[in-house]
Every structure is written in structure tokens, then in C-alpha cells.
Amino acid sequence: MFYHACRAGGCSARKAKLLYLGVRIGVWSRETLPEAALSKERLYVDIPIQADSDAKKIQNMFLEIADELRTIDDEATLEQLDKVISKHLQF
């Protein structure tokens, strides 16, 4: 539903894909990483950003999946997007 809401709200297909991917990774992170990995204190960053290993893993995962999503047609169904995302996110 989030993806469709983004599109209905005027987001481009590319932006909607990336926003949807962010939501999916957020859910995956909450389900798979230790609770302390996502504490509020650890989410604050200094400049320059020095990500810890969990944050770096999530960042790299996002970039890898985003690259693959670029190859998917803008008219792809949500099921097609989920298929690409799900193969990277194992619960």
C-alpha cells in the first residue's frame, strides 16, 4: 500500500521504489537485528558519517537492492518489486 500511496501522491516510479525499499529494509532490520543495533542513541550520526557495522550492512544492502530495482520497469507490479527485494532480505 505504501508504494501505491507514493505513486498516487505524485512520486515518480523510481522514487516510490526507493521509498518502498526503505520501508521494507526498516521492517527487516527490526525483525532480524538485535534491539540494541537500532537504539535511538546509535541512530544519531556525526559528520563525517562513521557508520557502525550494522548500519553499514543496511546501507550496503539498500544500495545493492536499489541497483537491481533500477532494472525493473516502471510499470512493474508490487509483486515484482517484492520478489526482487525479498530475495535479498531473509527473515
Side-chain angles (χ1 to χ4, degrees):
M1 183 170 164
F2 180 81
Y3 174 79
H4 295 297
C6 289
R7 293 292 286 146
C11 285
S12 68
R14 181 175 183 208
K15 185 173 183 178
K17 287 178 200 176
L18 294 177
L19 291 170
Y20 179 66
L21 171 58
V23 169
R24 290 287 312 272
I25 286 180
V27 171
W28 173 85
S29 298
R30 282 282 178 210
E31 297 288 326
T32 60
L33 295 178
E35 187 175 326
L38 298 172
S39 69
K40 282 194 302 188
E41 290 77 24
R42 292 186 67 190
L43 294 178
Y44 295 117
V45 295
D46 294 323
I47 303 298
I49 295 172
Q50 296 181 348
D52 63 21
S53 62
D54 289 327
K56 194 66 168 167
K57 177 181 178 181
I58 293 169
Q59 180 183 39
N60 289 338
M61 185 180 302
F62 180 90
L63 294 173
E64 181 181 322
I65 300 169
D67 280 342
E68 190 168 345
L69 288 178
R70 280 191 205 131
T71 66
I72 297 203
D73 186 81
D74 287 349
E75 301 306 317
T77 65
L78 188 57
E79 291 76 21
Q80 290 169 310
L81 297 178
D82 279 333
K83 184 177 180 181
V84 170
I85 295 168
S86 294
K87 76 179 182 182
H88 292 274
L89 303 180
Q90 301 300 315
F91 286 92

